[in-house]
Amino acid sequence: MCAMVYARDMEVVQQLKPEPMTPRETAAQDKIDDVEYDIFVHKMNMVAQEGKETTMKLGASSGMRWGDVAFGIYTAQGDLAVVATGIWFHAVLGQLPVKYIVKHYVNDSSVGVKEGDSFFFNDPFYGGVHPADMGLCVPVFHEGELICFVGAVVHSGENGGTDPGGICPSARTKYDEGLISPPIKVGENYTLREDILNMFAAMNRDARTMILDIKARLAACRIAQRRILEFVGQKGPDLVVGGLRRILSVTADAARHKVSQLNDGVFRQPRFMDNVGMTEGLLKINLTLVKKGDTIKLVFDDTTPMLPDKPLNSFFQGIIGMAMVYFCGWFLHDLPANNALLAPIEWDFPEDCLLNAKGEAPTSMAPFPQTLFANAMFMAGARMTYHMDPSRAQASWYQGFGVPLFGGINQWGEPVADITPEINATGAGARNDQDGVSGAGAFFATMSDCSDVETTEADRPFLYLFRNYFKNSYGHGKYRGGAGVGFGLKMHHVPGAAMGCFGFGSRFPATLGIFGGYAVPPVFLSTVRQSNMGALLSSSDAGLPNNLDQIYGEGNPEQGQREFHHITLPIQLFMYGETFYVPVGGGAGYGDVLERDPQAALDDLAEGRASGWVVTNVYKVVYDPGTLRLDEKATKDLREKALAERLQGAKPFDEFVEEWSKLKPSDDVLHSYVTYPHPSVGIKQGPLMPSL
């Protein structure tokens, strides 16, 4: 029996890289034929893909139905060798709960790991993100030997925190964030334990969705288990045990080799966020990439310190997981997605740091600092890799969120709590040779979908008034980012519902461009209390707004108490008929706006993607407003004038720095920043904050 320590396991979370090869895995290597190995790799990828698709088809939450899913095959030691997902951070983070199970339960007589078992987990200390990300895994045995694990990690809509929807902006400690479970056995003998499911249900506003999601994960795991055992029956266990290890070995060698081809250098990118939980304020994340030889090191000196009573902290392992979004999807895109991609990656986190949460600090809004880091990673990574492959040096997808969360009783009398799927409708960043894709998905979930509105409305207490692209939602540049989605909701068929929203980027842009490209414009939320929208719909009013531009334009017939909010809005009660308008940002821009093809700017104007003001004042394009015919000579002259004005305003760098250093935000937004402009100056190391 292992001696349990009833506290966080600080060692297992350091095991992000592959475990040492075991004697069993070593012996199996000699028995693997190269052709059979290739067949094995293809087969395991298809098994994982079937697991992912099964999970999505059987689940109930927005995240599960629309692609916030990662399904993996793990070695017997817990390393993730094969994954089917667009949720690249789970290519690293999904392994930690499995490694916890291997370390603590395999040899523990009171728990054990046996055929037919299943384990649930959602503790963000092991999962890396926040409690709404939940997982389930099962061990796969062959003739009594544990040969691997299979598991699914999916964002479920609700976990019983102080706020509905899985995000808790009001949380002051981890005890406000609802159900937080380290790996726990929830099934034995191929049967889920109803007593534990009943306990989970009692902790959750939307018990039906949570339990259905757990069962969906388990069903997918059992299918994958059956497929793997069928393969073992044909080829034997050595190919599975040795093959999974070989995938990791080959991936690690290839990752080191590719990193070694980059130029050595230091690449810095500070980023700022305008959200501190439920209040506005300025925070800083400071990323430095140090590339030397076959290693890339991530350094986070001079980052805002940990916020002991705000949920914007992240565990360090979550940041490393988010780095995988960049490495899996962009730089190391041609290699298998597994934790061996971390072989050439090192990291250094300050002890007192927003990105290195400790003690009882809440983390349910960890996706905020993680996505802010991701924007810095994309920007620094583009500069680091451009010389090798310009086509992979892409501007960032939108990385700021703009997502309603809700809770209450739906139109069928059932409890619901979740987020809306438009988190998966952001614009992709511009590329080195073309514009970004509009409504591409989420940067962290590139294979995700945003649902069709009829499906979402079917069991949600609101009606969509519209959902489409809105003007100027992206970063401008030689190539612009893809457009983002704007949508309107009306509380419908219920007396009222608890609604809020989460995101950042209302004061300071959430997503910056690269190589001269513009940032994504700030976004904000609009609501109308005591709205007359119901009457307008009943009368089929011809002036009904059908996009965000018309909401704020002249002639909008909607009346009521209109309010404007930061994109993070604490949960409030919205009554029947009241409306809620949300922008989801587009992608960032790439390159100088004055180098954009003038006709492309006019095409955006014709398609409703850009306004006439932007075409004239940003892109400096002259055209006939009636026909949209380009005036080439006048455009050339206007752009030359703009370039001359730039040069006239230029100044030596040292002079610019001296003037810039005299600027400072107002003190009322620096309440959590510590010391401006360098947070580390004011950080004093000491004991952790006591429990609140």
Side-chain angles (χ1 to χ4, degrees):
M1 178 176 178
C2 295
M4 283 292 293
V5 177
Y6 298 103
R8 287 170 172 164
D9 186 333
M10 307 302 292
E11 295 179 351
V12 76
V13 294
Q14 301 291 337
Q15 298 172 220
L16 289 164
K17 297 187 180 185
E19 300 298 307
M21 189 179 297
T22 66
R24 173 75 174 90
E25 292 171 331
T26 301
Q29 299 301 312
D30 296 334
K31 303 176 183 179
I32 300 176
D33 174 80
D34 288 343
V35 174
E36 286 192 334
Y37 170 73
D38 287 344
I39 295 172
F40 164 77
V41 172
H42 177 75
K43 179 67 175 179
M44 292 303 103
N45 277 288
M46 291 301 99
V47 170
Q49 188 66 34
E50 184 180 13
K52 173 178 176 282
E53 295 296 326
T54 301
T55 308
M56 292 175 61
K57 285 180 170 59
L58 296 180
S61 64
S62 292
M64 187 166 285
R65 286 192 290 177
W66 307 114
D68 196 344
V69 178
F71 191 93
I73 302 174
Y74 307 78
T75 69
Q77 293 179 275
D79 289 314
L80 181 56
V82 178
V83 65
T85 182
I87 315 293
W88 297 121
F89 50 80
H90 289 312
V92 163
L93 300 178
Q95 65 172 321
L96 293 179
V98 182
K99 289 184 175 180
Y100 183 99
I101 293 166
V102 172
K103 177 179 179 179
H104 292 287
Y105 298 155
V106 165
N107 296 316
D108 186 289
S109 60
S110 68
V111 182
V113 176
K114 301 180 292 295
E115 182 176 345
D117 286 349
S118 51
F119 295 85
F120 171 88
F121 46 86
N122 82 316
D123 188 337
F125 183 70
Y126 303 106
V129 187
H130 59 163
D133 278 354
M134 305 180 186
L136 184 141
C137 69
V138 306
V140 179
F141 286 85
H142 175 258
E143 296 181 354
E145 178 191 13
L146 175 61
I147 60 173
C148 66
F149 288 84
V150 294
V153 182
V154 188
H155 177 100
S156 283
E158 163 66 18
N159 68 299
T162 53
D163 302 295
I167 300 286
C168 299
S170 64
R172 299 189 66 201
T173 74
K174 71 174 187 177
Y175 307 113
D176 295 323
E177 297 181 309
L179 170 65
I180 296 178
S181 174
I184 180 175
K185 186 182 288 190
V186 295
E188 298 176 294
N189 299 318
Y190 292 94
T191 304
L192 285 170
R193 289 186 50 171
E194 291 297 332
D195 57 343
I196 294 180
L197 295 187
N198 195 39
M199 178 183 70
F200 287 170
M203 298 177 177
N204 194 292
R205 293 180 180 84
D206 190 350
R208 178 194 62 164
T209 294
M210 182 180 189
I211 301 307
L212 282 174
D213 279 4
I214 289 175
K215 292 181 176 180
R217 294 182 186 95
L218 180 58
C221 286
R222 292 303 180 206
I223 288 175
Q225 176 188 19
R226 185 164 68 245
R227 297 284 186 259
I228 291 171
L229 290 177
E230 289 171 353
F231 186 82
V232 170
Q234 298 169 358
K235 300 294 184 179
D238 290 337
L239 184 52
V240 173
V241 173
L244 293 176
R245 171 54 57 181
R246 181 173 291 188
I247 291 173
L248 294 166
S249 299
V250 169
T251 302
D253 291 343
R256 290 192 192 94
H257 174 70
K258 191 163 186 180
V259 168
S260 71
Q261 295 178 303
L262 294 172
N263 291 333
D264 287 353
V266 178
F267 307 87
R268 297 181 176 89
Q269 187 61 58
R271 288 293 290 112
F272 299 89
M273 181 164 59
D274 61 3
N275 178 287
V276 185
M278 292 193 298
T279 62
E280 296 184 14
L282 195 66
L283 303 176
K284 178 184 179 182
I285 289 176
N286 198 51
L287 171 66
T288 302
L289 298 182
V290 181
K291 192 283 170 181
K292 186 175 181 180
D294 63 356
T295 300
I296 297 173
K297 187 173 185 179
L298 283 63
V299 182
F300 297 93
D301 292 339
D302 207 31
T303 290
T304 292
M306 189 181 77
L307 305 172
D309 63 344
K310 299 290 191 301
L312 281 166
N313 306 286
S314 171
F315 294 114
F316 84 90
Q317 51 270 35
I319 297 298
I320 301 305
M322 193 58 70
M324 292 295 283
V325 175
Y326 175 74
F327 288 120
C328 289
W330 274 261
F331 175 47
L332 301 174
H333 63 96
D334 49 355
L335 300 181
N338 57 58
N339 63 304
L341 293 180
L342 287 179
I345 311 301
E346 304 292 340
W347 48 85
D348 183 11
F349 289 85
E351 280 301 310
D352 187 355
C353 175
L354 181 74
L355 308 180
N356 194 10
K358 298 287 198 317
E360 299 173 345
T363 59
S364 67
M365 295 175 74
F368 285 31
Q370 289 171 2
T371 55
L372 191 68
F373 153 74
N375 184 219
M377 187 73 212
F378 272 70
M379 295 175 70
R383 299 195 300 273
M384 179 177 67
T385 61
Y386 184 87
H387 73 95
M388 175 188 285
D389 185 358
S391 69
R392 308 305 299 186
Q394 179 176 331
S396 298
W397 293 33
Y398 185 64
Q399 294 169 328
F401 299 121
V403 186
L405 59 164
F406 59 89
I409 304 299
N410 71 5
Q411 60 268 44
W412 308 108
E414 302 163 334
V416 292
D418 207 333
I419 61 176
T420 69
E422 284 73 27
I423 190 173
N424 297 332
T426 67
R431 292 159 280 184
N432 75 315
D433 59 353
Q434 56 187 308
D435 295 339
V437 177
S438 298
F443 82 96
F444 59 85
T446 52
M447 301 300 291
S448 59
D449 193 3
C450 63
S451 170
D452 57 88
V453 296
E454 291 81 8
T455 299
T456 303
E457 289 173 338
D459 62 351
R460 302 305 195 228
F462 40 75
L463 172 75
Y464 279 86
L465 301 173
F466 58 83
R467 189 179 76 178
N468 44 40
Y469 300 128
F470 64 101
K471 290 180 181 177
N472 307 325
S473 59
Y474 45 79
H476 304 291
K478 178 179 181 180
Y479 298 104
R480 62 162 176 80
V485 163
F487 60 103
L489 303 174
K490 181 177 81 72
M491 302 308 105
H492 193 60
H493 278 321
V494 291
M499 292 284 293
C501 194
F502 68 88
F504 60 94
S506 292
R507 301 286 187 179
F508 191 96
T511 310
L512 304 185
I514 60 172
F515 306 143
Y518 282 20
V520 180
V523 294
F524 61 92
L525 189 69
S526 173
T527 61
V528 181
R529 301 284 191 173
Q530 302 175 358
S531 170
N532 65 336
M533 182 57 70
L536 295 175
L537 289 169
S538 297
S539 64
S540 299
D541 191 294
L544 277 171
N546 57 31
N547 57 54
L548 282 184
D549 303 306
Q550 294 175 4
I551 290 296
Y552 306 116
E554 296 182 3
N556 179 5
E558 183 178 15
Q559 297 177 0
Q561 181 183 343
R562 184 174 295 278
E563 299 171 350
F564 301 99
H565 313 271
H566 188 282
I567 197 67
T568 284
L569 175 69
I571 291 288
Q572 302 176 13
L573 182 63
F574 282 81
M575 305 307 293
Y576 174 77
E578 295 183 331
T579 54
F580 203 90
Y581 299 101
V582 188
V584 181
Y590 183 113
D592 191 340
V593 292
L594 298 185
E595 295 180 6
R596 183 164 181 77
D597 179 357
Q599 188 57 52
L602 290 175
D603 290 344
D604 290 337
L605 176 61
E607 293 171 6
R609 298 284 192 272
S611 65
W613 188 93
V614 162
V615 172
T616 300
N617 295 281
V618 175
Y619 291 113
K620 306 297 183 183
V621 173
V622 181
Y623 64 96
D624 183 307
T627 64
L628 300 188
R629 183 184 294 275
L630 173 67
D631 187 329
E632 294 186 12
K633 184 180 184 307
T635 296
K636 181 181 178 182
D637 292 343
L638 185 60
R639 288 186 167 186
E640 288 178 351
K641 179 181 177 183
L643 285 171
E645 291 173 350
R646 287 184 186 177
L647 291 173
Q648 187 176 6
K651 61 188 64 176
F653 182 69
D654 291 343
E655 182 180 335
F656 164 78
V657 171
E658 182 181 358
E659 293 182 8
W660 183 262
S661 299
K662 295 177 183 178
L663 302 176
K664 180 186 175 184
S666 61
D667 290 338
D668 60 352
V669 301
L670 297 175
H671 49 83
S672 299
Y673 193 97
V674 185
T675 305
Y676 186 85
H678 301 295
S680 58
V681 172
I683 294 176
K684 295 181 179 180
Q685 297 295 337
L688 296 176
M689 293 289 290
S691 177
L692 295 173

